[in-house]
Amino acid sequence: MKNKHANSEYTEYDRIAAADPKHKYYLGKPQKCKILEADYVAHVQPSGCRILEPNTTSADYSMLQYKDGGMDLNDFASFNLNKFLGSHSPASQKRVDLFWLHAHSLFMGLKLFAENDILHDDIKPHNIVVRYDPVSETVKFNYIDFGLMKSMSKQMRDIINLATTRMFHWSRPMEQGYMSNSAHFDQLYSYTGATNLVDVHTQMISDVITKRKTANRFDIDPVSFLLTFEYMENHLSPNNTATIQAHVRSSIESTMNYKLVPHIFVEKSIKTTDSNSLGFTLNYVANKMHTKRALTDDEYLRLHQLFARMFDPNLMTRLDNINTMIAEYESVLLQNGVLSRLKKTFRNHVITKVSGPRPTVKSIPVLSVAQVPAQVPAQVPAQVPAQVPGKERIPKTGRCR
C-alpha cells in the first residue's frame, strides 16, 4: 500500500494494542517493511494491483506483515473443512465441538472492542483466522485486518453531525446505506408518490441485487450483496428472490420507524455493525458444516437462530447487547451437547473443566422454520429530530482486494 496509508494503518494498531495487550483476540501489531525494487518489478507490477499509481516505484509503497494466525474462515469453510472433519467419528465430533467452543472467544473479542470504543468495521470470513492444533486439541481464533478500525463513538457523532457518512456495503447492515448522503435520506423520508414508499424502495433495491444491476443509483455492488445473502442463508430453507425481498423490506420498514429520531437510528446501527458481521460469518461456517453432516438439524438451527438475530435486517429487533449474545451463545453450546461432550462449562464467561454442579444456563428451544415468529417493529419514542446524515466519504484503505 502507499506509504501514507501504511503509516496510518500501522498507527491505528496502537488502539487495539492498548485494549488487548496480551493479544487474546488479535495477532499483535504487524511489522512494517519495504519491498526490494527487483521484487516489485518482477511480482507486484505484473499483478495488476489496483492501488498502483503511474510513475511510482517500490519506494512509494510499504507492506504490513502479520504473524501467521492460520487460515481465514473463508478458506477454512470453503476449501479445508473436509480435512478438518476427516471421517465421521468421535474424533471428528470432538474437532467440531472444539471449533464451536472456542468460537466463543470471537464474542469476547467483540465485548473487548465495545468496552474500548473500537469499531472493527470490516469483519467477514476473510478477516477472522483460525488455527487448529491436533496435538494439544486447541482451536485459536483471531481477528485480523484492522485497516478500517475507528472510534465507535466518534463515528456515531460524525455521522449525526454530517462530518462523515456511510454507504451500502455488503459486510455492513443494509440500513447504513441510508446514511450515505442526504438524497437517500430525503427520498426515503420525504417520498410523496402515489405508490407505497416501502414497496418502491424494496422493489428498487431487490432488483439491483437479484438482477445484478451493477449501474444503480445506490452504488450497490449486487454480486457482493448476493454473497452476503449466501452467508446469511438458512440452510434448511434456501434463499430465493422472495427471501431477498423480505430482507430488504424489513430493513426499510424498520428504518422508517426512526424517522423522528435518526440519531438513535445511527447509534444502534453503528453499535451492531461488528456483531452483524460476526453473525453472518459464523452462520456461513455453520452452513458448510451442516452440508457435511457435521451438525444435526437441531444443532444447526440453534446456531442459525442466534446468528440470524445478530444480523436481523430489522434494526429494531436486532440483538444489540453483547452480553446477551455471549450468554445465549453459551446456552446454545449447552443445548447442543458441546459442553457435556468436552466436559467443559463457563464460569463468568471463562471456559473451565467441569467440577461440581454445572451452573444453570438459559435454555433456548429449537424452532422449526414455520414456527419462527414474524418480527413486529417496536415503537420508538418521539424525540427531537437530530440532523440527518449527509454526503458519503468512502474510506481510503490503500489495500488490494
Side-chain angles (χ1 to χ4, degrees):
M1 62 185 73
K2 291 295 292 289
N3 290 330
K4 64 177 181 180
H5 299 312
N7 293 336
S8 175
E9 183 170 331
Y10 187 76
T11 301
E12 280 294 323
Y13 273 87
D14 291 340
R15 178 189 296 270
I16 186 65
D20 185 14
K22 295 183 179 180
H23 304 170
K24 293 177 67 176
Y25 308 112
Y26 87 118
L27 295 171
K29 200 167 184 177
Q31 179 181 3
K32 187 168 59 173
C33 51
K34 304 293 290 185
I35 186 170
L36 296 175
E37 179 67 17
D39 290 334
Y40 174 80
V41 172
H43 304 291
V44 179
Q45 284 184 327
S47 70
C49 182
R50 289 177 295 175
I51 68 167
L52 298 183
E53 297 179 2
N55 303 316
T56 56
T57 68
S58 62
D60 298 299
Y61 301 93
S62 297
M63 296 188 299
L64 295 182
Q65 188 173 23
Y66 302 85
K67 293 180 180 178
D68 182 9
M71 69 187 74
D72 67 59
L73 285 185
N74 182 70
D75 285 350
F76 172 81
S78 299
F79 309 114
N80 292 277
L81 191 55
N82 284 338
K83 181 178 179 180
F84 176 78
L85 295 176
S87 59
H88 290 283
S89 65
S92 174
Q93 178 67 65
K94 187 172 185 178
R95 287 192 291 272
V96 172
D97 288 344
L98 286 169
F99 178 95
W100 292 109
L101 176 69
H102 291 286
H104 179 270
S105 68
L106 296 172
F107 289 84
M108 298 304 293
L110 288 194
K111 179 178 173 67
L112 179 85
F113 296 166
E115 291 172 346
N116 288 273
D117 193 34
I118 292 172
L119 178 66
H120 183 290
D121 212 20
D122 198 21
I123 293 176
K124 53 191 176 186
H126 308 75
N127 285 343
I128 295 175
V129 292
V130 59
R131 180 184 293 281
Y132 170 63
D133 184 345
V135 177
S136 61
E137 294 188 324
T138 57
V139 180
K140 174 65 174 174
F141 291 88
N142 280 290
Y143 288 103
I144 63 172
D145 196 348
F146 288 80
L148 297 183
M149 178 175 57
K150 50 186 68 72
S151 162
M152 184 181 297
S153 60
K154 184 176 186 301
Q155 181 73 3
M156 294 174 182
R157 290 195 304 271
D158 286 350
I159 293 172
I160 292 170
N161 295 327
L162 309 181
T164 190
T165 57
R166 303 287 274 183
M167 61 186 291
F168 281 104
H169 190 277
W170 69 272
S171 71
R172 297 170 182 163
M174 180 172 284
E175 76 276 352
Q176 291 187 11
Y178 287 101
M179 302 176 193
S180 61
N181 57 51
S182 59
H184 287 184
F185 255 120
D186 291 346
Q187 291 169 13
L188 186 65
Y189 287 159
S190 304
Y191 177 80
T192 58
T195 308
N196 181 275
L197 178 149
V198 173
D199 290 344
V200 170
H201 278 256
T202 297
Q203 192 64 54
M204 284 193 299
I205 294 178
S206 297
D207 282 352
V208 167
I209 297 171
T210 60
K211 297 179 181 180
R212 303 190 182 209
K213 296 182 177 180
T214 54
N216 60 82
R217 59 186 282 196
F218 300 104
D219 295 324
I220 289 174
D221 179 353
V223 175
S224 295
F225 269 86
L226 285 171
L227 181 64
T228 308
F229 282 105
E230 177 187 338
Y231 291 160
M232 294 178 175
E233 184 175 64
N234 179 343
H235 197 245
L236 297 176
S237 181
N239 286 337
N240 53 37
T241 299
T243 307
I244 295 175
Q245 288 177 336
H247 183 106
V248 174
R249 178 178 293 275
S250 181
S251 176
I252 295 172
E253 286 178 337
S254 68
T255 299
M256 289 299 298
N257 284 318
Y258 289 92
K259 182 174 182 178
L260 296 179
V261 284
H263 56 296
I264 297 178
F265 167 69
V266 169
E267 289 166 1
K268 181 169 183 180
S269 182
I270 297 300
K271 179 182 179 181
T272 57
T273 299
D274 286 348
S275 55
N276 167 88
S277 303
L278 178 61
F280 71 61
T281 294
L282 292 179
N283 191 75
Y284 173 62
V285 179
N287 283 345
K288 293 294 187 179
M289 285 194 177
H290 185 252
T291 298
K292 303 294 184 182
R293 295 184 297 170
L295 293 171
T296 67
D297 287 356
D298 282 355
E299 290 169 343
Y300 168 76
L301 273 175
R302 289 191 186 97
L303 288 167
H304 170 75
Q305 287 167 4
L306 171 58
F307 300 151
R309 293 173 63 210
M310 293 167 65
F311 58 71
D312 189 344
N314 186 332
L315 178 59
M316 306 192 77
T317 52
R318 183 183 305 154
L319 278 179
D320 65 349
N321 186 309
I322 185 58
N323 292 316
T324 300
M325 297 177 211
I326 292 170
E328 293 199 11
Y329 186 70
E330 292 172 3
S331 180
V332 168
L333 296 181
L334 174 64
Q335 295 297 304
N336 280 358
V338 172
L339 299 183
S340 60
R341 287 191 292 268
L342 294 176
K343 296 181 173 57
K344 301 289 185 181
T345 189
F346 288 99
R347 298 190 186 280
N348 296 322
H349 307 309
V350 176
I351 300 170
T352 60
K353 293 182 179 180
V354 172
S355 59
R358 186 185 303 278
T360 301
V361 185
K362 177 184 174 185
S363 174
I364 300 179
V366 174
L367 301 179
S368 69
V369 175
Q371 289 175 313
V372 177
Q375 296 164 338
V376 180
Q379 294 298 314
V380 177
Q383 299 184 24
V384 177
Q387 286 180 294
V388 173
K391 267 192 156 181
E392 168 63 14
R393 177 178 62 80
I394 299 175
K396 295 181 178 178
T397 64
R399 296 190 306 278
C400 294
R401 289 294 189 181

